[in-house]
Amino acid sequence: MIPIKFLLLLPILVPFLTAIFCVLNWHRRQVQRTLSIVGSLLLLLVTGLLFSQVRQLGPQAVQIGSWQAPFGITLYADLFTAIMLTLAALMGLVVGLYSLANIDEIRQRLGFYSLYQILLMGVSGSFLAGDVFNLYVWFEVMLIASFVLLALGSERQQLEGAIKYVTLNLMASAIFLAAAGILYGVAGSLNMADLAMRLRTAPPGVVTTLAMMFLVAFGIKAALFPLFSWLPAAYHTPPTAVSAIFAGLLTKVGVYAIIRVFTLLFVHDQAYTNLILLILAGLTMVTGVLGAASQNHYRRILSFHISSQIGYMVMGLALFTPLALAGAIFYIIHHIIVKTNLFLISGITNWVSCTYELKKLGGLYVRLPLLAGLFLVSALSLAGIPPLSGFWAKFTLIKAGLEVESYAIVFTALAVSLLTLYSMIKIWTQAYWKRPPEEKERPFPPNGSGWVLRFIPVVLLAACTITIGLGAEYFLGIAMTAAEQLLNPALYVQTVLGQTVGGLP
């Protein structure tokens, strides 16, 4: 068995070494393709082992280079971290398989596979970071890789989207770095466990200001209202594999950071901060779904829905009860799988029809009934139709909202679900159900590995969605345990610093 201390390093080391080997085989594209899949499989294996170990033994931490906390670099994993790492590895594998058929030769020559692994490394590092500065570093590793992947190929539409993506995310990074500097000046530390104790005696006004700065920085990265316009402007421009991994993971890293700091660090004035979070959650839901409902481009609809669904996750944090936080975690699990799958399905639709415009699509229910059925599974889950995973995620959040009598956000969440269903029906009727607008149907691509490599990931993710829905009690139990750990800051401090701290909840 791999020691738990070493196991915490592997989610970073595996994609890092995979990226290095891909660079060393720069002119051997087939070797790079093989290395990428093998590396992604290994990442899924080690994250699965980490999840199992953390679930059995509880939260774990390791101090890099024998520098004891709070002076060194800390890697920390509780059940929430382990869940996110496992999901990231799963998405890395399935999208990696899809990319074998989707990424063209030019992008492969420009280093797609090494950049893809660096992206996964940045995501894993962000989840494991136990101090604020290294969280910033891993965010930047992830974002630099995403910048290049977004612009790779240098098509005009990609570059236009990349400029908006880079501009707003660099602004978020600047705010993040400034907030980290002020935080160090106030508390004298950036280790999260140490900060959880030191911020208790810091001036409340300063701490609240810092909380809002971190909320703005992470909110931009998570595509929260009002600065979410970069997402629908960028995510529909790159190849499907790139937009799918972005849709599944990147905004969730921002959500993860918000949940982490607002359950561990900024808990001094919960009435105020939770109200702000609740308002932002409602506005994000509404503006995102209205943007989706107004679109007639397949991927732009899905892109707006990413932002809208982020609102549900923040809603669970804002309600700040064990059930609500468990609902937020369950929702993240559901959404990562479903949204990634919907983007992959959109890519297959474009592959066989040569367009993402709904007005130019049609007839795919007759020509490709399996694809239509797979779309329905993910679309109905996104809208919250039982017994799929989305229903139980929304049911948990609605129940939590009713328990604390937060009726406005409950009504908003239900109304947004109806509009989500409307936009999914819009895609269904336009792309799959109605007759093709052209008298002469487009010929299908020839049979071959392209079909297999595209459909295996989609079938696998659809099966995950159904499994989570049918086994909701089991997955909600895991989410509830993760939520209880998040709501116990003393457990984080004890794991990292090795001491019991009084006064923390």
Side-chain angles (χ1 to χ4, degrees):
M1 182 180 292
I2 302 175
I4 188 67
K5 304 294 185 182
F6 184 59
L7 200 53
L8 283 168
L9 295 170
L10 289 179
I12 297 173
L13 287 178
V14 169
F16 177 61
L17 293 174
T18 304
I20 289 176
F21 283 117
C22 285
V23 171
L24 292 175
N25 291 275
W26 188 266
H27 298 294
R28 300 173 181 175
R29 290 188 297 108
Q30 190 57 47
V31 174
Q32 289 189 52
R33 289 156 64 92
T34 304
L35 284 170
S36 181
I37 298 303
V38 171
S40 297
L41 273 170
L42 286 174
L43 181 60
L44 181 59
L45 175 63
V46 298
T47 54
L49 287 173
L50 179 61
F51 173 82
S52 176
Q53 291 294 301
V54 169
R55 195 175 178 205
Q56 292 178 22
L57 304 175
Q60 301 291 319
V62 62
Q63 316 301 329
I64 305 300
S66 299
W67 286 87
Q68 293 303 308
F71 305 107
I73 296 173
T74 299
L75 299 181
Y76 173 86
D78 56 12
L79 194 54
F80 184 36
T81 303
I83 290 170
M84 299 300 290
L85 285 169
T86 305
L87 286 170
L90 177 60
M91 296 308 106
L93 177 60
V94 296
V95 176
L97 281 171
Y98 190 96
S99 72
L100 298 180
N102 177 245
I103 299 301
D104 57 52
E105 184 177 338
I106 294 175
R107 289 181 174 86
Q108 292 180 41
R109 288 178 177 174
L110 293 173
F112 169 82
Y113 293 110
S114 54
L115 288 165
Y116 185 75
Q117 293 298 321
I118 293 295
L119 178 74
L120 293 177
M121 181 183 73
V123 170
S124 298
S126 298
F127 291 146
L128 287 165
D131 63 90
V132 173
F133 181 74
N134 280 287
L135 178 60
Y136 170 80
V137 170
W138 289 118
F139 258 94
E140 294 312 297
V141 170
M142 176 187 72
L143 289 171
I144 289 170
S146 68
F147 294 162
V148 182
L149 285 171
L150 188 61
L152 205 63
S154 301
E155 296 175 5
R156 180 171 180 173
Q157 188 182 30
Q158 282 182 263
L159 294 176
E160 181 182 349
I163 289 171
K164 298 174 183 177
Y165 180 87
V166 169
T167 301
L168 279 174
N169 275 279
L170 285 180
M171 181 175 73
S173 296
I175 296 172
F176 186 4
L177 188 60
I182 298 171
L183 183 61
Y184 185 78
V186 169
S189 177
L190 289 177
N191 181 279
M192 291 190 190
D194 200 29
L195 286 171
M197 297 188 299
R198 291 175 182 249
L199 289 180
R200 289 182 298 163
T201 58
V206 175
V207 177
T208 300
T209 301
L210 284 168
M212 292 302 102
M213 290 182 71
F214 277 102
L215 178 58
V216 171
F218 294 148
I220 293 174
K221 295 178 185 293
L224 273 178
F225 177 89
L227 295 176
F228 65 88
S229 59
W230 60 267
L231 193 154
Y235 276 24
H236 72 288
T237 60
T240 305
V242 176
S243 59
I245 198 70
F246 282 15
L249 294 182
L250 295 197
T251 52
K252 312 312 178 299
V253 178
V255 173
Y256 172 88
I258 292 173
I259 292 176
R260 179 66 71 191
V261 299
F262 280 94
T263 55
L264 179 64
L265 305 182
F266 304 119
V267 294
H268 63 292
D269 190 6
Q270 291 179 356
Y272 175 75
T273 56
N274 289 350
L275 177 61
I276 297 295
L277 288 168
L278 200 62
I279 293 171
L280 288 176
L283 290 172
T284 302
M285 287 184 209
V286 172
T287 53
V289 80
L290 290 177
S294 66
Q295 298 297 314
N296 286 296
H297 185 280
Y298 201 140
R299 282 203 294 180
R300 284 185 68 88
I301 292 175
L302 299 180
S303 297
F304 271 102
H305 271 303
I306 296 172
S307 178
S308 177
Q309 303 294 303
I310 294 297
Y312 285 93
M313 304 168 201
V314 177
M315 168 188 169
L317 172 63
L319 295 175
F320 214 77
T321 65
L323 182 62
L325 202 53
I329 295 169
F330 193 101
Y331 205 99
I332 292 171
I333 297 171
H334 140 77
H335 188 262
I336 287 175
I337 293 171
V338 167
K339 184 57 69 173
T340 302
N341 208 22
L342 283 170
F343 269 88
L344 296 181
I345 292 169
S346 75
I348 299 176
T349 303
N350 175 69
W351 185 55
V352 299
S353 302
C354 302
T355 184
Y356 285 106
E357 294 294 336
L358 295 183
K359 293 179 181 179
K360 299 178 181 179
L361 290 168
L364 289 176
Y365 173 75
V366 176
R367 302 180 73 199
L368 280 175
L370 175 60
L371 181 65
L374 291 168
F375 168 78
L376 274 182
V377 169
S378 295
L380 294 179
S381 182
L382 189 73
I385 303 299
L388 298 168
S389 60
F391 169 77
W392 299 109
K394 291 184 179 180
F395 176 81
T396 305
L397 290 172
I398 296 301
K399 182 179 179 182
L402 292 174
E403 285 182 353
V404 297
E405 300 180 354
S406 187
Y407 300 119
I409 196 65
V410 167
F411 174 79
T412 301
L414 291 172
V416 168
S417 289
L418 291 176
L419 288 172
T420 302
L421 181 60
Y422 162 76
S423 56
M424 291 298 104
I425 291 174
K426 182 178 181 179
I427 295 177
W428 167 257
T429 56
Q430 293 289 318
Y432 300 97
W433 188 253
K434 72 175 175 62
R435 291 182 178 181
E438 299 176 358
E439 293 183 3
K440 184 178 179 180
E441 293 182 342
R442 298 178 185 273
F444 278 164
N447 292 331
S449 61
W451 288 93
V452 176
L453 291 172
R454 285 175 169 87
F455 268 91
I456 286 179
V458 171
V459 172
L460 178 61
L461 292 180
C464 289
T465 301
I466 295 171
T467 301
I468 294 171
L470 296 178
E473 184 177 1
Y474 171 78
F475 290 98
L476 186 58
I478 293 174
M480 185 64 75
T481 303
E484 290 169 355
Q485 292 178 358
L486 284 170
L487 293 172
N488 183 11
L491 180 62
Y492 190 110
V493 174
Q494 183 176 0
T495 303
V496 174
L497 300 180
Q499 61 188 67
T500 303
V501 182
L504 288 175

